[in-house]
Amino acid sequence: MTRSFDVLVIGGGHAGCEAAAAAARMGARTALVSFDWQMIGAMSCNPAIGGLGKGHLVREVDAFDGILARAADAAAIHYRMLNGSKGAAVQGPRIQADRALFKAAIHDLLAGQDGLEIIEGEAQRLLITDGVVTGLALADGTELSSRAVVLATGTFLNGKMFCGEQLDTGGRVGEAAAISLGQQLRALDLPIGRLKTGTPPRLDGRTINWAALDRQESDGESWTFSDLTPQRAVPQLWCAITRTNTETHAVIRAALDRSPLFSGAIEGQGPRYCPSIEDKIHRFGDRDGHQVFLEPEGLDDPLVYPNGISTSLPADVQLAFLRTMKGLEQVEIAQPGYAVEYDHIDPRALAQSLEIRMLPGVFCAGQINGTTGYEEASAQGLVAGLNAAARALGRAPLQLDRASSYIGVMIDDLVLQGITEPYRMLTARAEYRLRLRADNAATRLTPLAMEMGCVSPARREWFVSRETQRTALREALERKVTGSALADLGLDVREPGQKQSLFSWMRFITLSQVQFAALCPGAALCPKAIIDELAEDARYAPYIARQEAEIREMRANDSISLLEVDFTSISGLSNEMVERLNAARPATLGAAERVRGITPAALAAILVQAKKRAA
């Protein structure tokens, strides 16, 4: 008997969990299909969430009532604000997690989600009728019908694992690869390539000489990742720092012929921003050392994750080079590092909704789209899950652009530019990053989430209360204050005779809580997070105002449809431009403008054609 759902999600990694939770929050009957329900929510690589650019994605997912930030807080054993000495626009909240607590938190959050069912089994093939997906067949013969499917296959799609000369089939140690589904997707003539990622060896922390190493403590602030987490709940641990050295590099160089990266065994391109240690030594031969962070994997777990030495070298070489580093002279390896090579779909085959254009009803999220990282995966899972549910329920899809969110930046980059290596979010990718800060994600995005109907009553109640406080404080900041009044409070003011709003003054001064309360009595009852957000709004206000014209122009161009335009028929476009435009299939003139290599003259010709089609 065929069971019926609105949305099926294939894969229980970060993308799949977020997609399933999002679809269910929308009211869609949702099933999450995974090889092994016990491995749902497992952290395959780094036991950390967030970072530069990535932390913005986590906060934005949380603004949509996603689960990643809440799970991160439930498991966080180390909090650190990266770039803490710089402006809020480029700061990166990051936590290290207890792996067991994180997975348990994901399980609890999924179990508590109405309308979501977990189904254990192997997704063998998509069921397709007249070019439209209608469900999924499992390896045991079970058939599941649905109106939409989300592919969140991670590194499992035709996955291969490499450790020196050893080659195994699988997407993660001890887990099988998705071979049948991978073969079907290739047979459907989808644009598929190969990518590579890797992980470092796991170390036995009981064999590390911690006393010889520099400590890095969890920061002393009180911030949390999720707006719904009232305070830090898990004991905090410190991590340690060591470095590779010339002896380490010599051991690695002597074994490069045994690395699958250099033997040609691995075809896929690895991530530029997180290369293997052998690739670092080969590419940066002039460096005398590379920093390695030794990160505990849990409160009751002796395993340690050496961040910075991802490798696919043989296990004996891994042990040899590890023991050349300070503090690791007697270290033992609990699990050797390895590389994984897997299939991905060229993301230019996707619409902005993350639906495959040539296979309606199928949405993709995570590493199948050519990205790397938990945060990128979760953000795509959110969008794919919401849009799959929207399709199934007959609602409008979620649309995010480059001026609204880092999620919008990432999706725009993927579907228009494609990838040549695993994509990683960076603050530098966002041209409007002064307005896309991690601290204002809820202000920017939760109203949209509420409109879509994808937030819980608890989130809605929290946000309404917060907005009431924020609006009242913002109005209070319009009170006119003289420079002399500020000087009386000990502030350095250049023009004491000038009188302007306190909000305008905050461009130039930093107020302590006592000073703020003296100038704005209503602030005493306002949460510090709101005060800090408005202070940053004031600091960046003139720069954001200058960008408004650019954003208006971008959105105006994004209203000019190119869906019916045949790029091959436009004279004046080079063959290369036509090839890039046909690969990206930009839906609007604004999207075409963002495709690399498209000149202003070409855009003018495209606009003329678009107007003819619209006439």
Side-chain angles (χ1 to χ4, degrees):
M1 175 177 156
T2 300
R3 300 187 60 198
S4 180
F5 295 90
D6 294 318
V7 175
L8 296 173
V9 178
I10 301 173
H14 292 72
C17 290
E18 206 68 69
R25 287 200 308 279
M26 287 276 284
R29 291 167 301 148
T30 306
L32 173 59
V33 180
S34 179
F35 275 125
D36 182 354
W37 72 269
Q38 292 183 324
M39 295 305 296
I40 289 174
M43 305 181 86
S44 299
C45 194
N46 194 344
I49 300 292
L52 301 178
K54 292 170 174 284
H56 291 70
L57 292 175
V58 180
R59 288 274 175 80
E60 290 181 353
V61 169
D62 187 63
F64 276 91
D65 212 14
I67 63 176
L68 180 61
R70 282 178 282 165
D73 284 328
I77 55 177
H78 189 279
Y79 283 85
R80 190 166 184 82
M81 184 66 72
L82 305 185
N83 274 353
S85 63
K86 298 183 179 179
V90 294
Q91 290 178 1
R94 180 183 187 270
I95 64 99
Q96 289 171 213
D98 179 303
R99 287 186 187 275
L101 291 177
F102 182 85
K103 186 166 69 170
I106 292 290
H107 280 225
D108 288 345
L109 288 163
L110 295 180
Q113 178 60 59
D114 292 338
L116 174 59
E117 182 177 340
I118 307 295
I119 296 178
E120 191 174 55
E122 178 186 350
Q124 189 172 62
R125 72 182 191 280
L126 298 173
L127 302 177
I128 300 171
T129 303
D130 297 329
V132 178
V133 71
T134 57
L136 174 69
L138 303 184
D140 66 1
T142 301
E143 291 192 353
L144 309 172
S145 71
S146 70
R147 299 176 183 178
V149 173
V150 178
L151 297 177
T153 50
T155 60
F156 288 80
L157 206 60
N158 285 320
K160 294 180 179 179
M161 299 181 294
F162 300 82
C163 182
E165 299 89 350
Q166 182 180 345
L167 170 63
D168 295 296
T169 299
R172 185 164 55 200
V173 165
E175 297 180 70
I179 302 297
S180 297
L181 182 59
Q183 291 173 341
Q184 182 194 25
L185 294 179
R186 284 183 174 270
L188 289 171
D189 252 357
L190 296 173
I192 290 177
R194 298 285 279 175
L195 288 174
K196 167 260 176 187
T197 189
T199 190
R202 303 307 196 270
L203 311 182
D204 184 340
R206 294 166 297 190
T207 63
I208 295 173
N209 181 9
W210 296 100
L213 301 171
D214 294 332
R215 291 167 56 139
Q216 185 180 73
E217 304 284 353
S218 181
D219 72 28
E221 299 177 28
S222 59
W223 62 268
T224 56
F225 248 132
S226 175
D227 287 320
L228 296 191
T229 303
Q231 61 188 13
R232 299 178 182 181
V234 181
Q236 299 296 286
L237 303 182
W238 51 272
C239 64
I241 305 171
T242 187
R243 289 182 66 85
T244 65
N245 51 57
T246 55
E247 186 181 356
T248 313
H249 300 180
V251 172
I252 293 171
R253 287 194 185 97
L256 288 180
D257 61 324
R258 300 179 63 194
S259 167
L261 280 178
F262 292 88
S263 69
I266 294 178
E267 305 169 16
Q269 178 65 43
R272 180 192 319 179
Y273 300 102
C274 187
S276 65
I277 187 62
E278 54 264 43
D279 200 23
K280 286 182 186 178
I281 303 310
H282 178 71
R283 288 166 51 191
F284 308 111
D286 58 327
R287 294 280 297 275
D288 59 2
H290 298 271
Q291 205 166 48
V292 179
F293 291 89
L294 301 176
E295 301 173 347
E297 298 211 347
L299 296 172
D300 302 314
D301 190 339
L303 293 187
V304 170
Y305 183 96
N307 193 342
I309 51 173
S310 169
T311 183
S312 58
L313 285 165
D316 61 303
V317 178
Q318 295 182 34
L319 184 61
F321 79 66
L322 282 166
R323 288 184 170 180
T324 65
M325 288 185 262
K326 184 178 180 181
L328 306 183
E329 293 85 356
Q330 303 297 322
V331 76
E332 294 291 346
I333 294 177
Q335 166 65 55
Y338 60 94
V340 186
E341 188 182 56
Y342 55 94
D343 282 355
H344 78 96
I345 292 175
D346 185 336
R348 291 176 296 181
L350 307 175
Q352 290 277 345
S353 63
L354 297 183
E355 184 178 27
I356 300 177
R357 288 195 298 266
M358 64 180 289
L359 195 55
V362 178
F363 297 77
C364 296
Q367 285 170 294
I368 192 173
N369 290 343
T371 61
T372 183
Y374 305 144
E375 305 81 5
E376 291 86 349
S378 289
Q380 292 168 76
L382 174 85
V383 173
L386 292 177
N387 285 330
R391 176 186 172 86
L393 301 174
R395 299 184 196 170
L398 172 65
Q399 294 184 325
L400 298 172
D401 64 19
R402 303 185 73 89
S404 69
S405 63
Y406 270 76
I407 299 175
V409 169
M410 174 177 61
I411 291 175
D412 198 62
D413 284 347
L414 290 171
V415 303
L416 292 181
Q417 314 302 347
I419 55 101
T420 56
E421 61 184 296
Y423 178 98
R424 176 178 180 172
M425 178 48 69
L426 305 166
T427 53
R429 297 190 190 275
E431 56 269 57
Y432 305 120
R433 57 185 170 274
L434 294 183
R435 57 189 286 141
L436 305 182
R437 307 190 310 271
D439 68 344
N440 67 2
T443 300
R444 288 185 281 117
L445 297 174
T446 300
L448 177 57
M450 291 165 62
E451 285 179 23
M452 290 201 70
C454 69
V455 301
S456 65
R459 175 81 56 173
R460 180 182 294 273
E461 182 180 345
W462 170 84
F463 185 76
V464 170
S465 173
R466 177 187 187 275
E467 275 303 283
T468 299
Q469 293 174 304
R470 184 179 177 279
T471 300
L473 182 57
R474 182 63 183 85
E475 291 173 354
L477 291 177
E478 287 303 308
R479 174 192 165 211
K480 295 292 192 296
V481 179
T482 62
S484 57
L486 299 177
D488 289 343
L489 292 173
L491 292 161
D492 183 14
V493 180
R494 294 184 179 179
E495 299 179 33
Q498 187 174 357
K499 188 174 185 178
Q500 58 183 347
S501 71
L502 182 55
F503 186 80
S504 297
W505 277 117
M506 288 167 65
R507 288 171 50 193
F508 313 106
I509 58 175
T510 299
L511 298 169
S512 69
Q513 284 187 286
V514 172
Q515 291 167 333
F516 200 95
L519 291 164
C520 191
L525 301 177
C526 199
K528 182 177 183 297
I530 295 178
I531 296 173
D532 290 345
E533 180 185 329
L534 288 174
E536 294 302 320
D537 286 347
R539 186 169 292 114
Y540 293 125
Y543 306 100
I544 293 173
R546 292 175 201 168
Q547 290 182 340
E548 290 300 325
E550 298 174 26
I551 293 170
R552 284 194 297 270
E553 181 181 358
M554 178 194 76
R555 288 178 170 159
N557 287 340
D558 276 336
S559 68
I560 300 173
S561 175
L562 301 183
L563 292 178
E564 302 298 324
V565 171
D566 177 9
F567 297 113
T568 60
S569 68
I570 302 176
S571 60
L573 297 186
S574 68
N575 290 335
E576 181 182 5
M577 289 183 190
V578 171
E579 183 179 334
R580 291 187 178 186
L581 288 165
N582 281 335
R585 293 306 310 170
T588 67
L589 184 69
E593 185 179 15
R594 296 190 292 276
V595 175
R596 290 193 188 97
I598 306 304
T599 64
L603 285 170
I606 294 170
L607 177 59
V608 169
Q609 186 70 8
K611 288 181 176 178
K612 286 181 181 178
R613 297 290 302 183

